């Protein structure tokens, strides 16, 4: 059976491109800034259902088109070693990846401090 049909409705209707992100002018401007390289870092904050995860999916689907690498980590299942691995790989490859950490508030202070460099 097709995995698309088994996916939750929210995943099936989630926008995949900047142009599909309707009604969120500031978010669209943010996304365009990420792909142009004018955003060094950002924290997406808002209530459930406000589009934070949708923004990560757009970044993921369009990162390759923009010549960027996208890395998704979860604050629930990731740790300092995962962060250091991404940083080390980026330095070796001399790239500037788009690192999206979902649920970053789940990191403890030491884990959050690993993001500072």
């Amino acid at each position: 059976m097709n995995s698309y049909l088994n996916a939750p409705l929210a995943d099936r209707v989630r926008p995949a491109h900047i142009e599909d992100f309707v009604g969120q002018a500031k978010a669209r401007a943010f996304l365009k800034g990420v792909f142009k390289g004018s955003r060094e870092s950002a924290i997406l904050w808002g209530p459930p259902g406000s589009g934070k995860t949708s923004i990560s999916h757009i970044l993921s689907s369009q990162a390759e088109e923009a010549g960027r690498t996208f890395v998704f980590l979860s604050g629930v299942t990731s740790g300092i070693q995962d962060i250091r691995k991404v940083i080390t790989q980026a330095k070796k490859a001399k790239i500037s990846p788009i690192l999206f950490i979902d649920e970053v508030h789940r990191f403890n202070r030491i884990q959050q401090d690993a993001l500072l460099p």
Side-chain angles (χ1 to χ4, degrees), residues 14 21 23 28 49 57 65 67 72 74 90 101:
R14 191 178 309 280
F21 203 70
R28 290 176 77 172
H57 284 273
E65 296 171 26
F72 179 91
S74 169
I101 304 174

Side-chain angles (χ1 to χ4, degrees), residues 19-87:
E19 296 77 24
D20 300 333
F21 203 70
V22 178
Q24 301 288 338
K26 288 182 181 179
R28 290 176 77 172
F30 164 77
L31 289 167
K32 289 179 182 180
V34 169
F35 290 119
K36 289 179 183 175
S38 62
R39 289 271 179 211
E40 289 295 320
S41 63
I43 295 176
L44 304 178
W45 176 85
S50 61
K52 301 177 300 290
T53 303
S54 292
I55 288 174
S56 77
H57 284 273
I58 292 170
L59 289 170
S60 174
S61 68
Q62 295 197 287
E64 190 173 316
E65 296 171 26
R68 304 282 304 270
T69 301
F70 181 86
V71 180
F72 179 91
L73 295 178
S74 169
V76 176
T77 59
S78 301
I80 292 176
Q81 288 180 330
D82 299 307
I83 295 167
R84 288 187 179 146
K85 182 178 175 183
V86 170
I87 293 169

Side-chain angles (χ1 to χ4, degrees), residues 13 23 36 46 81 88 96 98 106-107 110-111:
V13 299
K36 289 179 183 175
Q81 288 180 330
T88 301
S96 179
I98 297 170
R106 302 276 184 195
F107 278 170
I110 294 170
Q111 290 168 312

